[in-house]
Structure formats: structure tokens, C-alpha cells
Amino acid sequence: MESKEQNNNINNNSRKDNDKSRKNGKGFVVLLVIIIATLGLASAAFLEPKNPDSQKSAAQDSNYLDALFTASSQDTTFPEEDYIARIYISGVIEEANRSYNHRWLIDLVEKLEKDEHNKGIILYLDSPGGSVYESDEAYLAFSHYQTTRKPIWAYMSHMACSGAYYIACGTQFICANRNTLTGSIGVISGQSIDITGLMNQLGVKSKTFTAGRNKNMLNFNNPVTEEQDQIMQSIADEYYDQFTTIVAINRHIDKERVKELADGRIYTAKQALNSKLIDKICSYDECVTAMKAKYQFTDIQVADFAYKGAGSLMDYLMFFETNANPAKSIEEKVIDMISPSMKYPAYIYQ
């Protein structure tokens, strides 16, 4: 009898140990999955290819990422022999991101103006456009470069739409690959997402305290009024007129004809050439050869200038670890997901 009880105790203890082992094993597996998932997300972001359409990150995170990508200054070196500068403009044109930094670009153009070894610029464009402010300032910088009487040409690769085309108008000659998409001449003055109906269904209430009847316009908890429609449309119309005027002046096209072309659509390289929006369809090498021949540049090298973000793998890991469990309400998370990261008004193809 005593032996039977001892066997039962041994079996019970054995089952408890097995249960404990299984629980510990499950806990270890869960922990391992979490670690792998976290590292996977961080690695995916770090290794993510530069895609001009990938500008949909939450607006609240973009400020941190901007600082992350521009954490260290670019050490730009200039050749000590005569050269043509090939400047890359890729990705979304805004204050700063992984592939574009506005301050770096403007500073670079100013330095090239003063550099006696610099004999010209080829602007290499691969961008859907961007904000009105940065697009216009870059256009003005390249227009001012022309006062040096050095040649400046543009070459369009995959895409040079909206703000990127706007910038190209600051050059003297525009070449495009035969597969380029360009155009998209138009403006987005802003976006409004009204979720008041959804909030009512969910029983969520939100109120913004303001002074001035239009101070809260375009907020998620405020339906757009007819007056606010007119306000935003007036902004779009003003920047649209600015865009079409620049195209008309620099491309030597009657403004009424430009407005016919500027309905926001994109054009193939062949369509753009037929509409006089560009000057030549060719490869990049053919563009360089044509420029050298026109200005009798012999034995002149082409030097590349491209902005590269300063983020490290550890920076990305820390960013995603910090944001893995943000202390935000459901309402704030919804707003993060639906809020645009682009600063409006914008010349951008979406």
C-alpha cells in the first residue's frame, strides 16, 4: 500500500515537472518569436529598397526619422580637375528623408557655382515630386546656377513627375529615358479625412477648442464646410498658376496650351517630347555625350553627388524597439495611420 502511494506521488511529481517544462518551453518559444519578429521588422526597414511610392509612414514618426537620417553631415568632396557634376535627386522631395536632404542640395549647388573646376551640371532625376516649398527652392537654386553661364541639363530616369518636373524646368535642356514617366503638372493643397461618422458608431467623442471658425478645418473631427472648400481650392489654384507659369516660361509654350497639358496626368517620354515638355529621348550616356559635344568638353570627368542618409542598424533597432508598444490611445493610433506624412501643399504624383 505504501509502495503504491509512493508511485502515485512520483507520477504526480513527474507530471508537474513535465507541465512546468512544457510551460517554460512555450514561454521560451514565445520570447524567441517576439525577438525574431522585432529583429525582422527592424532589418526589413533597414534593408528596404528606395521606392518613391513608399512615403506612407505615420506623420508622428517622420520627425524622428528625419533626424535619424540626417544625424551626421555629408562630407562632400570636389575633384581637383575639371568636371561635370551629376546630382541625384531621388525619392520624395521634402525637408529630409533617406534619399533626399534639401539643405544638402541647396548648399551643394551654391558650392558648385563658386567652384572653378565645375564646368556644368547634369541633374539626374528619379522622383514623384514633393512639397511645393522644397520643389520651388530647388528650382530657384538651379535657375540661379545658370547665371554662372555654366550649362545645366536634366536627365529623367524612371520617373520625374510633378515637383521633379518643376525642378527640371530650372535647367536648359531636358533628356529622358524612353521608359520615363513625367508630367503630373498639378498641385495638392491638402487632404481631409472626416471620421466623425465612424466615431459616432463607436461612441467616441472628440472636441478641439479653437478661436476662429476655420482654425479646426481639415481636422479628423470636423466635417469640411463650403467656405473651407473654397479656402483650400484657392491655395491649390495659386500654386497651380505658379507651376504652369514656370513651365510656360522655361519651355517656351503658350500658357493656355500648358494648362491644357496640366490636368495632373502623367506622360510617357514620347508624349512629353511631342508636347515639348522635354527636349530629347536618349540613354544617360547619350545625354552626357551630347552635352560634352555641344560645349566642347574634352577630357572632362563626370563626378557623382548623391545624398545618403546617416542612419545605422542600431538606430533602426532602437527606433522600432521604442515604438513596439507606444503609449497611445486607439484614437491616436487611428489618426497616425490615416494622417499623411507629406507636408502640403505639394507637387507630387501619388
Side-chain angles (χ1 to χ4, degrees):
M1 191 73 177
E2 183 178 343
S3 175
K4 189 175 182 179
E5 289 179 358
Q6 287 178 347
N7 289 334
N8 289 336
N9 290 334
I10 291 172
N11 290 335
N12 289 335
N13 290 334
S14 177
R15 281 195 296 271
K16 288 179 180 178
D17 290 340
N18 288 337
D19 290 342
K20 187 175 182 181
S21 296
R22 282 196 295 270
K23 289 179 180 178
N24 290 338
K26 288 181 180 178
F28 175 75
V29 170
V30 171
L31 178 61
L32 184 61
V33 169
I34 291 172
I35 292 172
I36 292 173
T38 303
L39 291 174
L41 285 171
S43 300
F46 180 72
L47 298 173
E48 180 185 354
K50 294 182 178 71
N51 184 341
D53 291 329
S54 60
Q55 68 258 25
K56 300 296 186 181
S57 60
Q60 282 72 13
D61 292 338
S62 64
N63 291 336
Y64 175 86
L65 291 175
D66 289 348
L68 175 63
F69 298 137
T70 58
S72 65
S73 61
Q74 297 286 303
D75 184 17
T76 304
T77 57
F78 299 89
E80 296 181 357
E81 299 176 347
D82 290 350
Y83 66 96
I84 298 168
R86 173 166 59 172
I87 302 176
Y88 288 85
I89 292 183
S90 60
V92 178
I93 299 163
E94 55 187 352
E95 186 174 355
N97 56 52
R98 270 175 289 182
S99 59
Y100 182 88
N101 184 286
H102 190 65
R103 189 68 265 155
W104 173 85
L105 178 66
I106 300 302
D107 289 346
L108 173 63
V109 177
E110 291 176 355
K111 291 174 182 177
L112 290 173
E113 286 185 7
K114 300 172 184 177
D115 186 1
E116 61 181 13
H117 289 298
N118 173 247
K119 301 303 178 183
I121 290 176
I122 294 179
L123 192 57
Y124 193 96
L125 294 158
D126 187 7
S127 168
S131 74
V132 166
Y133 182 91
E134 278 78 19
S135 298
D136 186 58
E137 195 167 58
Y139 160 79
L140 292 173
F142 289 118
S143 296
H144 189 269
Y145 177 88
Q146 294 187 42
T147 63
T148 64
R149 298 188 180 279
K150 302 176 186 180
I152 174 170
W153 287 22
Y155 182 78
M156 300 175 172
S157 57
H158 300 83
M159 177 182 289
C161 292
S162 211
Y165 181 75
Y166 187 107
I167 291 173
C169 288
T171 68
Q172 299 155 334
F173 197 81
I174 301 176
C175 299
N177 184 279
R178 65 182 183 178
N179 298 307
T180 295
L181 291 176
T182 188
S184 188
I185 302 171
V187 60
I188 301 173
S189 60
Q191 286 184 343
S192 172
I193 301 175
D194 177 9
I195 63 170
T196 53
L198 176 62
M199 290 170 62
N200 289 335
Q201 289 182 3
L202 297 175
V204 177
K205 294 183 180 180
S206 175
K207 184 173 182 178
T208 305
F209 298 92
T210 64
R213 68 176 180 273
N214 291 311
K215 186 62 178 176
N216 196 41
M217 71 178 192
L218 304 188
N219 202 348
F220 70 95
N221 62 357
N222 184 66
V224 178
T225 66
E226 184 177 345
E227 180 184 19
Q228 291 164 1
D229 261 333
Q230 294 172 358
I231 291 171
M232 297 308 298
Q233 189 59 51
S234 69
I235 295 172
D237 291 343
E238 181 175 329
Y239 289 121
Y240 176 82
D241 184 68
Q242 178 175 294
F243 199 161
T244 53
T245 298
I246 283 173
V247 174
I249 292 173
N250 290 278
R251 298 303 304 165
H252 310 291
I253 307 173
D254 180 77
K255 189 170 180 180
E256 291 306 312
R257 172 56 180 157
V258 172
K259 287 183 177 180
E260 292 175 4
L261 297 169
D263 62 1
R265 78 178 68 185
I266 56 174
Y267 294 99
T268 65
K270 187 176 181 180
Q271 291 169 342
L273 181 64
N274 292 337
S275 299
K276 299 182 180 180
L277 295 175
I278 65 173
D279 299 294
K280 184 180 178 68
I281 296 175
C282 61
S283 68
Y284 168 72
D285 289 339
E286 289 170 338
C287 174
V288 174
T289 299
M291 184 183 193
K292 287 183 176 182
K294 180 175 178 62
Y295 298 99
Q296 299 180 345
F297 289 153
T298 57
D299 300 323
I300 290 183
Q301 63 175 309
V302 176
D304 287 343
F305 295 87
Y307 177 78
K308 296 176 183 177
S312 68
L313 177 59
M314 184 55 66
D315 292 328
Y316 286 94
L317 290 173
M318 291 183 67
F319 170 75
F320 280 98
E321 189 279 331
T322 301
N323 289 274
N325 293 295
K328 294 182 178 180
S329 66
I330 294 176
E331 180 183 322
E332 288 173 324
K333 290 179 181 179
V334 170
I335 295 169
D336 282 358
M337 288 188 291
I338 64 178
S339 296
S341 60
M342 170 57 56
K343 292 181 180 178
Y344 293 110
Y347 298 132
I348 191 166
Y349 169 65
Q350 294 182 320

